Amino acid sequence: MSIREDKFIELSQNRMTRILTTMTTIANLSNERYYTFSQSEINELFTKYEEAGKKCKSVFYGEIDGTELITQFKFSTPPFEPQNKKNIKFREISERRMSKIFYDLKLIANLSDKSHYAYSSSQIDELFQAFEEKGINTKIWFMPLISEFKYSNL
Protein backbone atom coordinates (compact mmCIF):
# COMPACT_ATOMS: atom_id res chain seq x y z
CA MET A 1 0.00 0.00 0.00
CA SER A 2 1.07 3.53 -0.68
CA ILE A 3 1.37 6.28 1.88
CA ARG A 4 -1.60 8.06 0.28
CA GLU A 5 -3.75 4.95 0.60
CA ASP A 6 -2.63 4.39 4.19
CA LYS A 7 -3.61 7.97 5.03
CA PHE A 8 -7.00 7.49 3.39
CA ILE A 9 -7.67 4.25 5.26
CA GLU A 10 -6.65 5.64 8.64
CA LEU A 11 -8.61 8.88 8.32
CA SER A 12 -11.72 7.38 6.72
CA GLN A 13 -11.93 4.62 9.34
CA ASN A 14 -11.59 7.11 12.19
CA ARG A 15 -14.14 9.52 10.74
CA MET A 16 -16.69 6.84 9.89
CA THR A 17 -16.26 5.32 13.35
CA ARG A 18 -17.12 8.73 14.85
CA ILE A 19 -20.25 8.85 12.68
CA LEU A 20 -21.32 5.34 13.69
CA THR A 21 -20.74 6.17 17.36
CA THR A 22 -22.80 9.34 17.07
CA MET A 23 -25.60 7.39 15.40
CA THR A 24 -25.62 5.07 18.41
CA THR A 25 -26.20 8.11 20.60
CA ILE A 26 -29.07 9.13 18.31
CA ALA A 27 -30.62 5.69 18.90
CA ASN A 28 -30.58 6.53 22.61
CA LEU A 29 -33.09 9.30 21.83
CA SER A 30 -35.71 6.62 21.13
CA ASN A 31 -36.27 6.17 24.88
CA GLU A 32 -39.79 7.55 25.31
CA ARG A 33 -39.25 7.84 29.04
CA TYR A 34 -37.03 10.86 28.37
CA TYR A 35 -37.99 12.03 24.86
CA THR A 36 -41.06 12.38 22.69
CA PHE A 37 -41.07 12.70 18.92
CA SER A 38 -43.44 12.50 15.99
CA GLN A 39 -43.15 10.14 13.07
CA SER A 40 -42.61 13.13 10.77
CA GLU A 41 -39.63 14.25 12.89
CA ILE A 42 -38.12 10.77 12.65
CA ASN A 43 -38.74 10.66 8.90
CA GLU A 44 -37.07 14.04 8.40
CA LEU A 45 -34.11 13.08 10.58
CA PHE A 46 -33.37 9.89 8.67
CA THR A 47 -34.22 11.28 5.23
CA LYS A 48 -31.63 14.03 5.75
CA TYR A 49 -29.14 11.44 7.02
CA GLU A 50 -29.60 9.30 3.89
CA GLU A 51 -29.41 12.32 1.56
CA ALA A 52 -26.21 13.56 3.22
CA GLY A 53 -24.60 10.14 2.81
CA LYS A 54 -25.54 9.96 -0.88
CA LYS A 55 -24.19 13.45 -1.52
CA CYS A 56 -20.92 12.66 0.24
CA LYS A 57 -20.52 9.47 -1.79
CA SER A 58 -21.21 11.49 -4.96
CA VAL A 59 -18.22 13.67 -4.15
CA PHE A 60 -15.94 10.63 -4.48
CA TYR A 61 -17.38 9.82 -7.91
CA GLY A 62 -16.96 13.41 -9.11
CA GLU A 63 -20.71 13.97 -9.46
CA ILE A 64 -20.79 16.98 -7.14
CA ASP A 65 -18.30 19.27 -5.44
CA GLY A 66 -17.62 18.84 -1.73
CA THR A 67 -18.54 22.46 -1.07
CA GLU A 68 -22.20 21.53 -1.67
CA LEU A 69 -22.33 19.45 1.51
CA ILE A 70 -24.16 20.92 4.47
CA THR A 71 -22.73 20.73 7.97
CA GLN A 72 -25.76 21.78 10.00
CA PHE A 73 -29.08 20.04 10.62
CA LYS A 74 -32.23 21.83 11.72
CA PHE A 75 -35.75 20.48 11.63
CA SER A 76 -37.77 22.23 8.94
CA THR A 77 -41.02 22.14 10.93
CA PRO A 78 -41.85 23.52 14.37
CA PRO A 79 -42.12 21.11 17.31
CA PHE A 80 -45.25 18.96 17.17
CA GLU A 81 -45.80 19.75 20.86
CA PRO A 82 -44.27 23.22 21.45
CA GLN A 83 -44.84 23.09 25.22
CA ASN A 84 -43.54 19.55 25.64
CA LYS A 85 -40.10 19.65 27.24
CA LYS A 86 -39.35 16.06 26.19
CA ASN A 87 -39.96 16.96 22.53
CA ILE A 88 -37.90 20.16 22.74
CA LYS A 89 -35.06 18.19 24.33
CA PHE A 90 -35.30 15.50 21.60
CA ARG A 91 -35.12 18.13 18.86
CA GLU A 92 -32.19 20.04 20.39
CA ILE A 93 -30.09 16.94 20.98
CA SER A 94 -30.89 15.30 17.63
CA GLU A 95 -30.09 18.54 15.75
CA ARG A 96 -26.75 18.81 17.56
CA ARG A 97 -25.84 15.16 16.97
CA MET A 98 -26.93 15.11 13.33
CA SER A 99 -24.94 18.30 12.71
CA LYS A 100 -21.90 16.51 14.13
CA ILE A 101 -22.50 13.67 11.65
CA PHE A 102 -22.85 16.12 8.75
CA TYR A 103 -19.59 17.79 9.77
CA ASP A 104 -17.81 14.41 9.85
CA LEU A 105 -19.25 13.59 6.42
CA LYS A 106 -17.73 16.82 5.15
CA LEU A 107 -14.38 15.70 6.58
CA ILE A 108 -14.79 12.35 4.80
CA ALA A 109 -15.56 14.19 1.56
CA ASN A 110 -12.25 16.05 1.96
CA LEU A 111 -10.56 12.66 1.48
CA SER A 112 -11.82 12.54 -2.11
CA ASP A 113 -8.85 14.64 -3.30
CA LYS A 114 -6.85 12.12 -5.35
CA SER A 115 -3.75 14.34 -5.21
CA HIS A 116 -3.49 13.64 -1.47
CA TYR A 117 -5.24 10.29 -1.02
CA ALA A 118 -5.54 7.01 -2.89
CA TYR A 119 -8.58 4.76 -2.68
CA SER A 120 -10.57 2.30 -4.74
CA SER A 121 -14.25 2.36 -5.63
CA SER A 122 -14.74 -0.79 -3.55
CA GLN A 123 -13.38 1.04 -0.49
CA ILE A 124 -15.82 3.89 -1.09
CA ASP A 125 -18.70 1.44 -1.53
CA GLU A 126 -17.75 -0.36 1.69
CA LEU A 127 -17.43 2.92 3.59
CA PHE A 128 -20.88 4.10 2.58
CA GLN A 129 -22.44 0.65 2.96
CA ALA A 130 -21.53 0.86 6.65
CA PHE A 131 -23.06 4.35 6.77
CA GLU A 132 -26.32 3.19 5.17
CA GLU A 133 -26.60 0.08 7.35
CA LYS A 134 -26.10 2.12 10.52
CA GLY A 135 -28.88 4.47 9.44
CA ILE A 136 -31.26 1.56 8.84
CA ASN A 137 -30.34 -0.11 12.14
CA THR A 138 -30.74 3.13 14.08
CA LYS A 139 -34.09 4.00 12.51
CA ILE A 140 -35.49 0.67 13.72
CA TRP A 141 -35.16 1.94 17.30
CA PHE A 142 -37.78 4.60 16.55
CA MET A 143 -40.32 2.34 14.87
CA PRO A 144 -43.37 1.24 16.82
CA LEU A 145 -43.30 -2.39 17.89
CA ILE A 146 -45.82 -4.64 16.17
CA SER A 147 -47.95 -6.27 18.83
CA GLU A 148 -50.75 -7.62 16.69
CA PHE A 149 -50.93 -9.33 13.30
CA LYS A 150 -53.78 -8.81 10.83
CA TYR A 151 -54.07 -9.76 7.20
CA SER A 152 -54.05 -6.73 4.94
CA ASN A 153 -56.87 -7.91 2.64
CA LEU A 154 -59.48 -8.34 5.41
Side-chain angles (χ1 to χ4, degrees), residues 17-36:
T17 297
R18 266 198 322 258
I19 289 172
L20 301 179
T21 302
T22 304
M23 280 303 284
T24 299
T25 66
I26 287 177
N28 294 341
L29 298 174
S30 68
N31 186 339
E32 293 183 15
R33 181 176 179 190
Y34 302 106
Y35 310 102
T36 59

Side-chain angles (χ1 to χ4, degrees), residues 44 48-49 52 68-75 92 94-106:
E44 181 176 1
K48 296 293 185 184
Y49 174 86
E68 295 179 36
L69 298 178
I70 59 170
T71 58
Q72 293 293 312
F73 172 78
K74 293 279 184 205
F75 284 101
E92 288 172 354
S94 57
E95 286 176 347
R96 188 172 53 248
R97 291 178 182 172
M98 194 59 72
S99 293
K100 182 179 176 184
I101 288 170
F102 288 0
Y103 178 78
D104 283 335
L105 279 173
K106 179 98 169 164

